[in-house]
Amino acid sequence: MARCYMMASMSTVLQAQHEDYITARQIMDNLEDMFGSQAAEKCREVLSNLINCRQKAGSSVKEHMLKVMAYLTDAQSNGADIDAESQLIMIFETLLKEYILFRATINLSTKQNITMIELM
């Protein structure tokens, strides 16, 4: 049944390529081979964009944050597993130097919270 649903949802070109496959698992494995490397490449591309992203002088923090959040979301949807602390670090690295005091405050607050949790 799963194989039938998969075949029905494919383009005619993909259907022709998979008509000899008997099980849904075989189809899934082949699709992963075909498109899995594309997701990994897309993930690398998005992470590269994120690493190279810098807020421009005079630009809106809101717009910049939306752009960075979109990169993070795109990276995660393509297989990247980025924990919350790493996300914060990546975000702070993209901000202008004007926000260095803000970064220090957040870092100090985060460290204090971690210490408080460890003490409990």
Side-chain angles (χ1 to χ4, degrees):
M1 184 64 95
R3 180 189 178 283
C4 291
Y5 283 127
M6 292 171 75
M7 293 297 283
S9 66
M10 290 181 184
S11 68
T12 54
V13 173
L14 283 176
Q15 284 176 355
Q17 290 177 348
H18 292 92
E19 62 188 19
D20 294 334
Y21 290 86
I22 298 168
T23 65
R25 169 53 49 207
Q26 289 173 323
I27 294 172
M28 286 298 295
D29 289 344
N30 190 53
L31 289 171
E32 179 66 31
D33 289 344
M34 292 172 67
F35 298 110
S37 62
Q38 290 178 352
E41 179 60 34
K42 177 69 174 171
C43 186
R44 282 190 292 276
E45 178 185 328
V46 171
L47 287 173
S48 176
N49 289 339
L50 178 61
I51 290 168
N52 294 318
C53 181
R54 297 290 177 260
Q55 182 183 8
K56 293 176 180 50
S59 67
S60 162
V61 174
K62 178 182 175 182
E63 293 300 319
H64 177 71
M65 286 295 108
L66 289 173
K67 182 178 179 180
V68 171
M69 289 170 57
Y71 282 143
L72 286 168
T73 301
D74 202 12
Q76 288 178 324
S77 67
N78 282 293
D81 185 22
I82 308 170
D83 63 88
E85 187 176 343
S86 297
Q87 288 182 26
L88 278 175
I89 291 168
M90 294 170 108
I91 290 168
F92 289 147
E93 289 299 317
T94 69
L95 293 173
L96 292 170
K97 300 297 180 207
E98 298 168 10
Y99 297 100
I100 211 158
L101 183 59
F102 176 71
R103 284 189 228 172
T105 303
I106 295 296
N107 286 337
L108 181 59
S109 174
T110 304
K111 287 178 184 175
Q112 286 175 345
N113 288 339
I114 290 171
T115 304
M116 292 173 106
I117 291 169
E118 289 173 350
L119 292 175
M120 294 178 169

